[in-house]
Amino acid sequence: MKRRDYIGLDLTPIIDVVFILLIFFIVTSVFKKDELALMLNLPEADAKAIEIKDEQVYIELNENKIAIKGLEVNFISLEENLKLVKNKKSAIIVKIDKDTKYERITKVLDLLQKYNLNNLALVTSEKK
C-alpha cells in the first residue's frame, strides 16, 4: 500500500516578494508637501521662517495660473473658496512667482481684504 504525502504550496517566497514590492513603492513614492499645485520661482528674502499652527489656506499665483489648496482655479472659483473660509483668523499662506504682474497680485489681495482674511504670510525663498 502506497501512501501519498500532501505537498503544500509554500507561500514564503510570495510573501517575501510582496513585502519587497511594498517597501519599494513606499520608498519611491513622492509625498505631497504643502498642497503645491504650481511651479513657482519665488523671490529671495532675508526674512526668517515662522511657524503657523492654526488652520492654513494655501494660495499660489504665477503669471498665468492661480491655485488654492493645491487645486488650480480661476479668480471666480478663488472668490468662492475664500467665501467658505469660516475662521477669519486662518493663516493665508501666499506663494507668488517673482515674475507675476502686480495687477494679478492686487486682485488676490483685494479678494482677501473683501472677506476680511488678514492673517497673511508671503512665502519667499531663502537667500544664498
Side-chain angles (χ1 to χ4, degrees):
M1 179 181 211
K2 281 188 170 179
R3 186 173 170 197
R4 292 186 176 182
D5 289 332
Y6 174 73
I7 300 176
L9 182 63
D10 187 15
L11 295 177
T12 306
I14 294 172
I15 293 171
D16 289 343
V17 169
V18 168
F19 279 119
I20 288 172
L21 285 173
L22 180 67
I23 290 170
F24 173 77
F25 286 119
I26 290 173
V27 170
T28 59
S29 65
V30 176
F31 296 101
K32 192 173 182 182
K33 185 179 179 187
D34 295 335
E35 298 179 12
L36 299 177
L38 305 178
M39 294 299 296
L40 301 176
N41 184 13
L42 298 175
E44 295 180 350
D46 289 325
K48 294 188 171 52
I50 58 169
E51 186 175 326
I52 300 171
K53 297 179 182 177
D54 299 332
E55 180 184 339
Q56 300 172 353
V57 177
Y58 289 93
I59 298 174
E60 300 169 75
L61 183 67
N62 69 13
E63 294 177 53
N64 306 315
K65 300 176 185 174
I66 188 165
I68 184 168
K69 299 178 185 175
L71 300 172
E72 200 173 309
V73 296
N74 57 26
F75 278 102
I76 296 167
S77 298
L78 175 66
E79 185 170 3
E80 294 298 320
N81 278 291
L82 293 176
K83 280 182 193 177
L84 298 175
V85 176
K86 294 178 182 172
N87 183 3
K88 299 299 178 188
K89 300 215 183 241
S90 296
I92 309 297
I93 312 296
V94 182
K95 294 181 178 183
I96 303 170
D97 190 273
K98 69 180 180 180
D99 297 325
T100 304
K101 292 187 178 184
Y102 191 65
E103 180 182 13
R104 289 179 57 82
I105 297 169
T106 55
K107 281 184 183 180
V108 172
L109 295 176
D110 284 344
L111 286 175
L112 292 172
Q113 186 178 25
K114 180 178 179 180
Y115 295 105
N116 202 23
L117 298 167
N118 300 320
N119 191 5
L120 186 66
L122 296 175
V123 178
T124 59
S125 64
E126 196 173 313
K127 276 192 176 180
K128 296 174 183 169

